[in-house]
Amino acid sequence: MPIFANLTQNLITETANQINGKVLSRPALLTTDGTNIVYVVDVDIGIQPPAGFDNLGNPITIEGSGLDAILRNVQIARGNRDLIYAEAGSAVTLQRSASGFYQVIGFSNEMPGTYTRIIVDLGDFTIGDPTDLSLISRLLTYEELSTYGTYGIIPYGAVGLFLGGILQEITS
Amino acid sequence: MDTRWSPTPLDSARKFAVFRHPTAAFVDILAGTAADGIDLSGYVTSGKHTSKDADIAFTYQTQLNGAAQPKPGELIEIQLNDQTLWVGIIESIAAFNLQSGLRRLEIKVYSRDNTPTWKDIKRVTPLYASGTPINQIANDVALSVGLLPEEIALPLTGTYTVHSNLQLSNMSGWDMLLNTLQSSGIDPYIDARGVLKGVSRDLARPSDVVLTTDRLNAITASKAKSPVTSVRVLWLDPALSEVVHQDQTLGTATITAGFFQLHQNLDMYFSADRTQRAKGTYMVIKQSANSGLLPVCSENYVQFDQLHGQIQLTTGIWAPLLATASLAEIIAYSFVPDGVITGGFVVGGGQTIPYGRLLNAAAEVSVMLIMMSIGTGMYEIRGLPYDLVNARNRTEATAKGVPDWLIQNSDIETDFVMNESHAQAFATRELIYQARAAATYNTQIADDPRIERGDIVELPDASRIYVLDYTRDLTHGSKAMLQLTGFRA
């Protein structure tokens, strides 16, 4: 992601102590010392980096950039058993520390939804076709288990991450 | 565009007049019924006004002393050629100067929306149901800040609320109007006579005023800030999204079943506060009530609705019937005369066994067997809890061909977007408006009272200016010019 897009994104998020997000993976055990356990999830906070173009006017971040917007391995707050059972797609609330460290602290009534981008020519006001950059994480269907891999290799209950309807990742 | 006016002819004199209205209201001046006007034109030595305010200086000897002096809160009406040009409220006496024999008084006048009533006082709207036109909300807000119906001339929009229980609160009346009309591409605007209007932020519409070369005097342009290259509309999806959690235990129960009750029904809610929704629920029997001496009941689970189901234990009909029959048998056998069996049943001997006692014992064994068949079951209800949450959709309009290092984003969060196509139109319109608004154009033209804020003025070279404000010099003998401030549409 270009540095200016990073700065823009940070400016947006740094003002919010609490933001809503959408869980993109099942909680997974990150570390444990035998007593304490730390679960983490990937979270979509609904902020895609803006589209950028090179000097020739060709888009350089519009395709495939959506995965840059995912917060990876966000820790789940301790003592919240319900959160451990959050399924991919759950709406959660994230709290940010002063140092920019996020943790999931509970479920939310609001979450990032669809993300659509349209390119507008400011010269003649022509409008391009909408591009779907929505991040959706869900259980793969039986048919998809066969389509996206050799049937029997991907376990039942595997979660697929889609960007604009196109499969990006499979986790189980 | 104010259609009451025609362009001021070139090389013509303008006749300004300034009236003070100690008691009249805006609506009186609008209707032409204000009879309290005091003509102060003879004392005006300088003045100018914009769409938002006016600065007027009076010079006099003693004529405006005491009760004759304009006071804050009174209305000032500026007339051009005997027709109302602009009306505002005196905000303050900006300056007073006493020289030998002469006094100079300067007043600051604001349009009616530039007052704490509009801009500072926090308000709460009524509760609006889904499907309420936003015009109704805007009208209610306007009425609450003191406008009369004849002072409201907002354009009709096709936008309506899509969320139930919508209520605006902790916002000033002006912010409410901005917020409500924003998604329809309309800026609220108090016109020169104090009427609430809406100006369009759409730059693709036809020009309101077309200027000829002889009416254009000068143009200066400057860029005050970097243009916005991306506008993101964050809007609440009216359709709730279902969010499903992993399969998990929703509740546990321990139930004792037996002959004493035919049906044991226990409602099982999926959370203690009875608000958790769940689907695909099922019962896991951790310990069956039938794991005792005799199977006594059937164990079933039924989900009634999204919030709860029921564990149903149905005791075999034979148990209570047999218990009842056996009790009756005990009683009945108590009345059987005790015959004596000598030496037992099979072999005769020296013992006697009362015949009735045997019958009684058989009946008691039957009852005890049933009582021993009571069972306690432990059950667990599992399933997929789910919630219905609001999705905050994002629709981004990005300028084509902007290099990475020039990207500048602007977020607009609103709950007045109806659907995706509405959001796309909104984001596109805002991107064009905000990107163009970065560069300021100042244009000096021959006075044209038709021009209002929000008008698009077309210049002789076919370029167009979106008018954000104007300035008109009221000073006697000043040139009949109008200074327009705006940006290239």
Side-chain angles (χ1 to χ4, degrees):
Chain A
M1 185 166 47
I3 187 169
F4 274 88
N6 257 323
L7 288 174
T8 309
Q9 183 175 331
N10 290 342
L11 281 173
I12 295 165
T13 53
E14 75 179 5
T15 55
N17 282 329
Q18 282 196 0
I19 55 175
N20 295 316
K22 181 170 65 181
V23 170
L24 296 177
S25 65
R26 287 205 189 95
L29 190 62
L30 179 69
T31 57
T32 178
D33 59 3
T35 306
N36 297 309
I37 51 176
V38 177
Y39 280 91
V40 294
V41 287
D42 293 344
V43 183
D44 169 23
I45 57 172
I47 298 174
Q48 296 281 7
F53 298 81
D54 62 18
N55 290 336
L56 298 175
N58 301 313
I60 57 174
T61 61
I62 190 168
E63 292 295 338
S65 63
L67 299 182
D68 298 338
I70 300 173
L71 295 187
R72 301 283 183 179
N73 287 355
V74 181
Q75 290 194 12
I76 292 176
R78 293 180 191 283
N80 194 331
R81 179 182 169 278
D82 288 343
L83 281 174
I84 304 298
Y85 288 94
E87 181 61 281
S90 294
V92 291
T93 301
L94 292 88
Q95 189 176 53
R96 191 179 66 87
S97 70
S99 59
F101 174 82
Y102 278 103
Q103 65 171 340
V104 179
I105 59 168
F107 288 113
S108 167
N109 280 329
E110 193 180 307
M111 66 175 184
T114 59
Y115 197 110
T116 309
R117 173 176 293 157
I118 42 180
I119 304 296
V120 181
D121 190 325
L122 291 180
D124 57 10
F125 297 162
T126 53
I127 301 167
D129 290 331
T131 305
D132 184 7
L133 293 175
S134 310
L135 284 167
I136 293 174
S137 189
R138 61 169 174 78
L139 291 175
L140 294 176
T141 63
Y142 287 149
E143 183 187 357
E144 288 169 335
L145 291 177
S146 171
T147 305
Y148 294 132
T150 307
Y151 195 85
I153 299 299
I154 305 174
Y156 291 131
V159 173
L161 173 62
F162 298 84
L163 172 67
I166 300 170
L167 181 69
Q168 306 291 319
E169 295 175 4
I170 296 178
T171 54
S172 60
Chain B
M1 186 173 69
D2 193 341
T3 54
R4 297 177 304 132
W5 297 97
S6 301
T8 304
L10 298 176
D11 300 324
S12 64
R14 297 178 299 178
K15 180 189 165 195
F16 286 113
V18 175
F19 285 86
R20 168 193 168 212
H21 290 277
T23 57
F26 277 94
V27 68
D28 300 324
I29 299 173
L30 179 68
T33 57
D36 61 340
I38 301 169
D39 190 354
L40 304 179
S41 309
Y43 309 108
V44 175
T45 49
S46 67
K48 65 179 176 61
H49 84 101
T50 69
S51 66
K52 300 168 187 164
D53 59 8
D55 297 288
I56 304 172
F58 303 97
T59 302
Y60 56 95
Q61 292 176 325
T62 58
Q63 293 88 341
L64 299 186
N65 282 350
Q69 189 177 95
K71 297 176 184 60
E74 294 178 349
L75 299 189
I76 288 289
E77 176 189 6
I78 300 170
Q79 290 187 353
L80 171 62
N81 300 335
D82 301 322
Q83 185 169 277
T84 301
L85 178 67
W86 191 84
V87 185
I89 305 171
I90 301 175
E91 191 267 342
S92 62
I93 306 295
F96 179 76
N97 186 23
L98 174 62
Q99 295 174 333
S100 59
L102 279 181
R103 290 171 175 80
R104 180 179 169 85
L105 180 74
E106 295 175 21
I107 59 172
K108 184 73 179 176
V109 189
Y110 280 116
S111 59
R112 68 190 308 179
D113 56 312
N114 282 303
T115 58
T117 307
W118 285 73
K119 296 282 174 72
D120 294 332
I121 295 174
K122 307 294 184 191
R123 299 177 185 279
V124 178
T125 67
L127 193 64
Y128 294 104
S130 175
T132 305
I134 63 155
N135 273 94
Q136 182 184 332
I137 301 174
N139 280 9
D140 288 351
V141 172
L143 292 171
S144 74
V145 295
L147 291 188
L148 297 170
E150 54 267 41
E151 295 175 304
I152 303 172
L154 289 170
L156 281 177
T157 71
T159 311
Y160 54 88
T161 60
V162 288
H163 304 285
S164 57
N165 295 327
L166 188 142
Q167 189 172 25
L168 302 176
S169 64
N170 199 29
M171 299 166 74
S172 69
W174 191 254
D175 287 341
M176 286 179 177
L177 288 173
L178 282 173
N179 200 291
T180 309
L181 298 169
Q182 184 187 37
S183 67
S184 301
I186 294 171
D187 268 342
Y189 165 58
I190 293 292
D191 81 350
R193 294 190 298 167
V195 175
L196 175 63
K197 291 181 175 175
V199 296
S200 173
R201 292 168 71 89
D202 179 14
L203 303 188
R205 63 193 157 95
S207 306
D208 296 289
V209 174
V210 179
L211 296 179
T212 52
T213 309
D214 56 349
R215 299 192 68 84
L216 180 63
N217 186 42
I219 298 176
T220 56
S222 61
K223 189 176 174 184
K225 55 187 177 183
S226 299
V228 168
T229 65
S230 166
V231 168
R232 191 158 42 194
V233 174
L234 284 60
W235 54 285
L236 206 59
D237 196 326
L240 292 170
S241 304
E242 184 181 290
V243 171
V244 184
H245 305 291
Q246 291 183 43
D247 185 298
Q248 58 193 273
T249 301
L250 303 171
T252 58
T254 300
I255 307 174
T256 300
F259 69 95
F260 49 86
Q261 196 169 2
L262 200 56
H263 296 287
Q264 298 264 48
N265 296 330
L266 180 64
D267 285 339
M268 292 295 293
Y269 284 86
F270 305 138
S271 65
D273 61 0
R274 301 187 172 190
T275 59
Q276 178 64 63
R277 297 178 176 90
K279 63 182 183 180
T281 59
Y282 57 97
M283 182 170 73
V284 175
I285 301 174
K286 309 295 279 189
Q287 175 187 300
S288 175
N290 293 324
S291 56
L293 196 59
L294 283 176
V296 291
C297 62
S298 62
E299 299 161 300
N300 293 310
Y301 166 76
V302 177
Q303 180 169 356
F304 283 153
D305 55 29
Q306 57 189 356
L307 297 175
H308 85 294
Q310 192 177 65
I311 297 175
Q312 298 173 338
L313 301 189
T314 304
T315 306
I317 190 70
W318 58 267
L321 285 180
L322 191 57
T324 310
S326 298
L327 285 174
E329 208 175 9
I330 291 171
I331 295 168
Y333 285 151
S334 299
F335 291 99
V336 174
D338 262 347
V340 175
I341 301 171
T342 304
F345 285 108
V346 181
V347 181
Q351 298 174 350
T352 59
I353 302 172
Y355 182 69
R357 198 175 72 189
L358 291 175
L359 293 174
N360 245 336
E364 283 171 2
V365 165
S366 176
V367 170
M368 282 189 283
L369 186 64
I370 292 164
M371 291 177 68
M372 284 189 289
S373 297
I374 293 173
T376 297
M378 296 171 67
Y379 308 97
E380 190 175 272
I381 303 301
R382 298 181 64 90
L384 302 170
Y386 69 94
D387 298 310
L388 296 172
V389 303
N390 284 109
R392 177 71 66 179
N393 295 336
R394 281 134 168 99
T395 303
E396 175 193 319
T398 292
K400 184 179 180 183
V402 176
D404 253 15
W405 54 276
L406 272 181
I407 288 175
Q408 182 155 315
N409 182 69
S410 167
D411 277 352
I412 300 172
E413 191 163 336
T414 177
D415 293 338
F416 289 101
V417 168
M418 298 186 292
N419 49 44
E420 179 63 41
S421 59
H422 184 196
Q424 289 180 15
F426 181 19
T428 305
R429 184 173 54 234
E430 280 303 314
L431 171 65
I432 294 171
Y433 183 96
Q434 294 188 26
R436 290 293 178 90
T440 305
Y441 272 63
N442 291 310
T443 310
Q444 194 177 46
I445 64 171
D447 197 3
D448 192 337
R450 295 176 301 169
I451 296 174
E452 296 184 293
R453 182 178 179 275
D455 284 348
I456 292 181
V457 176
E458 186 171 326
L459 304 180
D461 65 352
S463 60
R464 307 187 325 146
I465 305 293
Y466 185 95
V467 178
L468 289 175
D469 205 355
Y470 57 79
T471 305
R472 180 179 284 114
D473 195 344
L474 306 172
T475 309
H476 293 302
S478 61
K479 291 180 180 176
M481 307 298 286
L482 188 67
Q483 184 80 34
L484 301 180
T485 305
F487 57 87
R488 196 172 169 187

